[in-house]
Amino acid sequence: MGLYQSCCVITLCFMFLLVKPQFSHSMSCTSQKFTKNKLFEHCNDLPHLNSYIHWSYNSKDSSLNLAFVATPTKPDGWIAWGINPIGTGMVGTQALVAFKQSNGTIVGKTFKLNSYNSIVPGELAYHVSNMEAMYSNGMMVIFASVNLPKGMRELNQVWQVGSSVLNGTFPGIHDFQPENLNSKGKLDLMKEKSVSNGPEDSMLNNRNIHGILNVVSWGILFPAGIMIARYLRTFVDPVWFYVHVACQLSSYTIGVAGWATGLKLGSQSKGIVYTSHRDFGIALFCFATLQVFALFLRPKKDHKYRFYWNMYHHGVGYGVLVLGIINVFKGLEILQPGSKWKLAHIIFLSILGGIALILEAITWTIVLKKKPGKSNNKLYDGQNGRQQPLTS
């Protein structure tokens, strides 16, 4: 499909598809891949029960993001991973459990193992969020984020698998083979070196670079360039024109670099697709390219087609502005860099919007003060030296 056809399809509609997470099975955690761009800094092949643990730990807020992978004893069985804050065995474990319900869906729930005879569903001693479970290629996966106590450097981990689910709501008893009884150990949160390096590290770096480039381009420079074109001409004509062009060309150049890193991420992440983010990105790139062409197609001020060029230039420009802001927020949702970054961008856009309102009021005040019929009721187009009404 050509560039023109792609732009038409994207501008007519955007397809918001929920991509079901999938998991690529392997005998080593280093080559296991998750969709939805779920990446972890570390992973271990656990010594028992054909199980694996992937995790990232942020010591600043003591948050642990993890994926536990295991093969249930039977397809309709269950898997569990937990933290024992009081010992190294099963009793006292705060567990995350995944199993297939009677309706066939995979669900993740939390259980407290107070004793061998007391397994209670409910909230754990640690706050658990973003928990989900899936089944693929004979294996179950538990994803979750756990808030740990401040200063924790290691934890006692316990994992288990079972073959039955009682009434589709409660995990049944597991086997008592040596593999089951020895499925415990310590997880070193601070010192364990990443065993998932190489391509994974490259992908993480590309994700961060992609996000930074696009935030700077479409989230900062492009909105600032539009404000320069609309308001600065009132005060520093014709300097505004050159500043505007420099700002928008810089935005486009950085945006192209962001587009390239996005393509690189796509080639590195087979099976991982963010449909809406990708489609918005394609539309954004198409419209931004059209906007750059406007610089070379710009007719003289007194040309009969100048009116239509203004409509084209302004319409496409505001379209890029809206698409850019939307896609930056979609990218932040995918990267999940921390709420403070999203908040910082919202504050920046709010400040920019506040400045725009102030400048809008000042600009209209100047326009309304000018008397009709006077030569000074028009402002100069800095590039052509001709007068034009104050427009956006």
Side-chain angles (χ1 to χ4, degrees):
M1 182 179 288
L3 179 63
Y4 175 76
Q5 290 89 344
S6 298
C7 292
C8 290
V9 171
I10 294 158
T11 52
L12 288 173
C13 65
F14 291 102
M15 300 300 294
F16 295 93
L17 301 178
L18 294 175
V19 180
K20 181 180 179 181
Q22 296 181 354
F23 170 71
S24 101
H25 170 60
S26 173
M27 295 304 292
S28 172
C29 72
T30 57
S31 56
Q32 291 173 344
K33 308 294 182 184
F34 305 101
T35 60
K36 286 193 173 180
N37 221 15
K38 291 182 181 293
L39 301 175
F40 300 90
E41 295 179 357
H42 317 284
C43 78
N44 278 348
D45 299 335
L46 298 175
H48 304 289
L49 300 176
N50 190 30
S51 303
Y52 313 86
I53 182 73
H54 301 251
W55 83 96
S56 299
Y57 179 66
N58 187 338
S59 59
K60 293 182 179 180
D61 58 8
S62 299
S63 62
L64 174 67
N65 294 316
L66 66 94
F68 172 68
V69 184
T71 305
T73 309
K74 293 182 179 180
D76 291 334
W78 54 269
I79 66 170
W81 181 90
I83 303 170
N84 192 332
I86 62 174
T88 59
M90 186 185 81
V91 175
T93 296
Q94 310 285 304
L96 313 176
V97 183
F99 56 87
K100 185 179 292 186
Q101 299 182 111
S102 55
N103 61 6
T105 59
I106 305 298
V107 66
K109 294 187 177 182
T110 55
F111 291 82
K112 294 180 286 187
L113 283 68
N114 299 327
S115 70
Y116 287 103
N117 298 319
S118 176
I119 302 177
V120 182
E123 294 185 1
L124 306 184
Y126 309 116
H127 176 67
V128 178
S129 59
N130 302 321
M131 186 177 178
E132 59 178 306
M134 52 164 283
Y135 181 88
S136 180
N137 298 327
M139 305 194 80
M140 283 188 182
V141 186
I142 300 173
F143 298 104
S145 299
V146 183
N147 288 341
L148 300 175
K150 292 288 185 181
M152 180 175 276
R153 300 181 64 88
E154 66 177 16
L155 54 82
N156 298 318
Q157 63 173 339
V158 180
W159 63 97
Q160 196 57 254
V161 299
S163 60
S164 62
V165 179
L166 305 179
N167 299 321
T169 60
F170 201 89
I173 192 169
H174 61 77
D175 294 336
F176 287 89
Q177 301 300 319
E179 283 271 301
N180 300 91
L181 299 177
N182 292 318
S183 56
K184 56 187 178 180
K186 290 188 178 294
L187 183 64
D188 190 337
L189 300 172
M190 302 297 292
K191 296 182 180 179
E192 178 68 31
K193 299 300 182 182
S194 173
V195 294
S196 183
N197 47 25
E200 295 294 326
D201 290 342
S202 175
M203 190 182 300
L204 285 170
N205 289 335
N206 286 337
R207 286 177 66 201
N208 294 333
I209 292 171
H210 174 72
I212 292 171
L213 289 175
N214 284 286
V215 167
V216 171
S217 173
W218 312 118
I220 297 177
L221 286 178
F222 199 86
I226 287 181
M227 289 181 61
I228 289 169
R230 183 167 179 82
Y231 304 116
L232 198 61
R233 70 175 71 181
T234 306
F235 309 101
V236 284
D237 183 75
V239 175
W240 71 268
F241 177 83
Y242 302 104
V243 178
H244 169 67
V245 170
C247 189
Q248 301 306 70
L249 286 179
S250 298
S251 172
Y252 181 74
T253 303
I254 297 172
V256 169
W259 168 270
T261 57
L263 295 178
K264 179 65 175 177
L265 278 172
S267 66
Q268 289 180 319
S269 312
K270 299 298 183 182
I272 301 176
V273 181
Y274 294 98
T275 306
S276 59
H277 182 62
R278 179 199 62 191
D279 290 349
F280 273 110
I282 293 173
L284 178 60
F285 182 76
C286 293
F287 279 118
T289 302
L290 289 174
Q291 190 71 334
V292 170
F293 288 159
L295 178 65
F296 305 102
L297 301 174
R298 185 170 180 263
K300 297 288 186 179
K301 183 66 175 72
D302 55 356
H303 195 281
K304 63 179 180 178
Y305 292 124
R306 181 56 181 256
F307 171 77
Y308 301 104
W309 181 90
N310 284 337
M311 292 178 60
Y312 151 68
H313 184 58
H314 294 168
V316 173
Y318 286 120
V320 172
L321 175 67
V322 173
L323 288 173
I325 292 175
I326 291 174
N327 219 28
V328 164
F329 280 107
K330 284 189 172 292
L332 289 173
E333 290 176 2
I334 294 170
L335 286 175
Q336 297 181 340
S339 58
K340 63 181 181 180
W341 295 105
K342 185 175 182 179
L343 178 62
H345 191 57
I346 291 174
I347 292 174
F348 170 80
L349 291 178
S350 300
I351 293 173
L352 210 61
I355 294 173
L357 288 175
I358 295 172
L359 292 176
E360 188 76 18
I362 294 174
T363 303
W364 277 105
T365 300
I366 295 174
V367 170
L368 294 175
K369 283 183 177 180
K370 295 184 180 297
K371 297 180 179 180
K374 298 280 187 174
S375 62
N376 64 350
N377 69 336
K378 296 183 179 180
L379 298 176
Y380 283 94
D381 179 348
Q383 188 59 181
N384 294 301
R386 296 179 178 274
Q387 292 180 324
Q388 63 173 351
L390 182 63
T391 59
S392 59

